[in-house]
Amino acid sequence: MEPSRVVNVHEAKTHLSKLLSRVEAGEEIVIARAGKPCARLVPYVPPPSRRMPGRFRGIKIPPEFFDPLPDDELALWEGE
C-alpha cells in the first residue's frame, strides 16, 4: 500500500469528486487543516452480513459424516 496523500481542506472541497474516485480505487487520502492532519478518506467496507438463525434448517447430515477419518487423511490434518 502506498503512503497516504495529504490534501488541504480547500483542495478537498474543490476536488471532492476526484478524491472520492481515488478512494474508491483503494487510495487513502488525508485531509489537513493548516498542515495538520484532521481526517482520513478511506474506502467504505460494508459490515459483515448478519447471521440468520435457522438458515440451514432442514438440511440432513448423512450418518457417514461422523465416521472416523482414515489414518492417512487423519495424519494430514494433524500435520504428520
Side-chain angles (χ1 to χ4, degrees):
M1 182 177 195
E2 64 183 71
S4 306
R5 173 154 185 249
V6 179
V7 298
N8 63 38
V9 174
H10 176 72
E11 183 181 354
K13 290 190 319 186
T14 304
H15 301 288
L16 182 60
S17 292
K18 290 179 185 177
L19 293 175
L20 289 176
S21 294
R22 293 172 67 172
V23 168
E24 288 174 331
E27 189 175 340
E28 180 177 299
I29 307 289
V30 174
I31 300 174
R33 179 181 291 136
K36 183 178 177 185
C38 62
R40 277 187 324 147
L41 288 177
V42 296
Y44 176 73
V45 177
S49 61
R50 296 193 59 139
R51 293 179 59 190
M52 284 185 10
R55 181 170 61 176
F56 296 112
R57 185 177 299 133
I59 293 179
K60 304 290 185 198
I61 299 174
E64 57 271 10
F65 176 82
F66 299 99
D67 290 348
L69 291 174
D71 290 336
D72 57 335
E73 190 171 342
L74 183 59
L76 290 172
W77 280 100
E78 293 177 344
E80 296 175 9

